[in-house]
Amino acid sequence: MNDLTNDPSPTLSSTDVLNGLGNTLSLRRRLVYTAILCVTTLAATGLTLLWATEPDRLPARTQAAFAMLIAINLGWSGLSVWVLTRREPLFASDRVTAGSMGLAFAMVFTAVATPIGFTTRGVAAGLAAGLAGLVLCLMGGGVLISAVRRRSALLRELGRTQG
């Protein structure tokens, strides 16, 4: 017989457990996202200042590279701000978003770097850029698949406790 008045151990409802599982912002994760925010904001600022203080006009490819690197850093900064300002459980939404961003940035890198490598440095450079891009895309895809599975499992568990 389980009498709550005689049981000294605290009990948690399934909702309490799920809120704990879904809340990915442990102290460690908060520190990680804070570090990402600081590093990417500083990188975007540094790149912007470097680009703005160039004495001569840069070639179009270089300007495009600066713009892409600044946009990528601002994207990661935006993700960090979004995660750090959320007040309810994320249920792995941050991981799905980060995986999507990582895969998208890897695909852009591959699509841009591979043809540039072939046209400016030859076959070896084009193949190296393509291979590096493929590895990045596979890693980003793996992270995204893992995040989607984690989110689906959390949402399935949530549906079981609420249904």
Side-chain angles (χ1 to χ4, degrees), residues 2 7 9-10 17 21 25 50 53 57 60 70 73 84 88 90 93 96 116 118-119 128 133 137 147 155-156:
N2 188 4
D7 186 8
S9 64
V17 172
L21 287 174
L25 290 182
L50 181 62
T53 57
R57 183 167 170 80
I70 291 166
N73 277 289
L84 290 169
E88 67 271 0
L90 291 168
S93 296
V96 173
I116 289 174
F118 276 116
T119 58
C137 287
L155 292 176
R156 242 186 341 271

Side-chain angles (χ1 to χ4, degrees), residues 103 106-107 109-111 113-114 127-140:
L103 180 58
M107 291 169 64
F109 168 81
T110 305
T114 303
L127 290 174
L131 181 61
L134 177 64
V135 169
L136 290 173
C137 287
L138 290 173
M139 290 170 54

Side-chain angles (χ1 to χ4, degrees), residues 65-120:
F66 269 102
M68 267 198 319
L69 288 171
I70 291 166
I72 287 170
N73 277 289
L74 291 176
W76 288 117
S77 294
L79 172 68
S80 298
V81 168
W82 174 70
V83 169
L84 290 169
T85 58
R86 293 284 300 243
R87 294 291 180 214
E88 67 271 0
L90 291 168
F91 294 107
S93 296
D94 59 325
R95 295 177 186 195
V96 173
T97 303
S100 299
M101 288 173 60
L103 180 58
F105 295 152
M107 291 169 64
V108 168
F109 168 81
T110 305
V112 172
T114 303
I116 289 174
F118 276 116
T119 58
T120 61

Side-chain angles (χ1 to χ4, degrees), residues 27-75:
L27 176 61
R28 180 180 168 274
R29 290 190 65 83
R30 283 187 185 280
L31 291 174
V32 167
Y33 277 109
T34 302
I36 291 169
L37 176 62
C38 292
V39 168
T40 57
T41 302
L42 285 172
T45 303
L47 287 166
T48 302
L49 290 173
L50 181 62
W51 189 11
T53 57
E54 276 297 312
D56 298 325
R57 183 167 170 80
L58 295 172
R61 280 193 318 241
T62 307
Q63 290 187 39
F66 269 102
M68 267 198 319
L69 288 171
I70 291 166
I72 287 170
N73 277 289
L74 291 176

